[in-house]
Every structure is written in C-alpha cells, then in structure tokens.
Amino acid sequence: FTNLRYAVPHLNNYCGFAVYLDVDMILMGDIAELYEYREAGKWVTLADGSDEVSIISCGTHPHMPKVGDIHRYHKSELKEMVRQSAKIPLCWNVEDRVEAGMKLLHFTDLKTQPWRTRHPNKEAESIWIENVSRASVGR
C-alpha cells in the first residue's frame, strides 16, 4: 500500500497539484498553509526527504506508473522517478508524540495505532479521542 502515493499523478490526470498524506495522520494545522510549499515541477517532500507528507506537481510526472502497475516497482525505484524538493518542515510530521508547534500527528507504529489498541503516548491518544468524538457529533 505504501507505493500508492506514486499513483497520485495518474489519479489526478497528470495535471495540477495534489496533497498526499498517509491515512494514519491527524491534520492539526491549516492545509492551506501546507499547500503553500508546492513547487512547479517538483514532488515536494518533508525536509528529511521522507514522502508521507507531499505536495505533488502532477503534470511534471507523466512517467509515473498507473495504479495497476505500481506493484511491479520497489519503493526505492519509484522514489528515483520523481524530481524531489525536500522543504516541508518536520512539524508537518510529528510521529507518535505531541510537540509544541506541531501541524500534523502521525501514528506510525501499526501495533499501537489508537483505532486498534491503546496508544503508549497518552497525549497523542487524547488527540485521537478528541478528533473521533468531534467527528461523531457531526453525524
């Protein structure tokens, strides 16, 4: 499933920009602020080069595989196909803990994701519970 991010240009008809976020995240900042990091012709990633938060210039990646072909590639091969620009601050991907100024909480450990079991970081778990409660009220 981790390679599906590389199908985003195809899914967006190779035009415009797309914001990619892993599914196990809670956005805490304004997504419009994240979108400001977009860069024409580039796959903009986090400052450390990881791509679980990305803004993709879809029109400049027409060589990316279609959804049905993604499984044929190793993630390292797919990563080599993109013109990266690593400039999204790491506050947009705080993993399994709470930090001042964080914009996004990422539950990375599959064994402790709060929708599966109790999370070892009670502050992070509390944010999960608060967001689930807020979403439930709107139903």
Side-chain angles (χ1 to χ4, degrees):
F1 71 92
T2 193
N3 287 349
L4 288 178
R5 67 194 75 190
Y6 296 103
V8 169
H10 169 75
L11 294 170
N12 212 43
N13 294 317
Y14 304 102
C15 62
F17 289 90
V19 174
Y20 174 84
L21 303 173
D22 276 0
V23 70
D24 53 358
M25 299 176 161
I26 296 178
L27 188 62
M28 301 178 73
D30 185 343
I31 199 163
E33 182 184 334
L34 176 61
Y35 187 70
E36 290 300 315
Y37 290 100
R38 73 189 180 282
E39 190 175 337
K42 300 288 176 90
W43 191 296
V44 183
T45 63
L46 291 156
D48 65 1
S50 57
D51 59 3
E52 55 259 39
V53 175
S54 299
I55 299 109
I56 305 162
S57 180
C58 296
T60 53
H61 293 91
H63 56 284
M64 296 305 293
K66 294 181 166 89
V67 175
D69 296 328
I70 288 288
H71 70 281
R72 298 177 188 189
Y73 296 88
H74 187 272
K75 185 175 180 180
S76 62
E77 294 174 289
L78 294 164
K79 230 176 168 173
E80 288 179 20
M81 293 181 190
V82 301
R83 292 180 53 215
Q84 281 194 356
S85 174
K87 68 180 196 180
I88 300 171
L90 295 179
C91 63
W92 286 98
N93 189 42
V94 175
E95 297 179 349
D96 296 304
R97 66 188 182 285
V98 175
E99 286 182 4
M102 65 190 283
K103 307 279 185 171
L104 186 144
L105 173 57
H106 188 179
F107 293 101
T108 61
D109 187 342
L110 295 176
K111 294 177 189 142
T112 62
Q113 290 174 323
W115 47 93
R116 295 174 181 252
T117 188
R118 302 294 305 226
H119 194 274
N121 184 300
K122 297 307 168 202
E123 286 181 286
E125 183 180 61
S126 176
I127 289 171
W128 162 255
I129 291 167
E130 177 184 322
N131 278 273
V132 168
S133 297
R134 198 173 345 166
S136 297
V137 170
R139 290 184 193 184

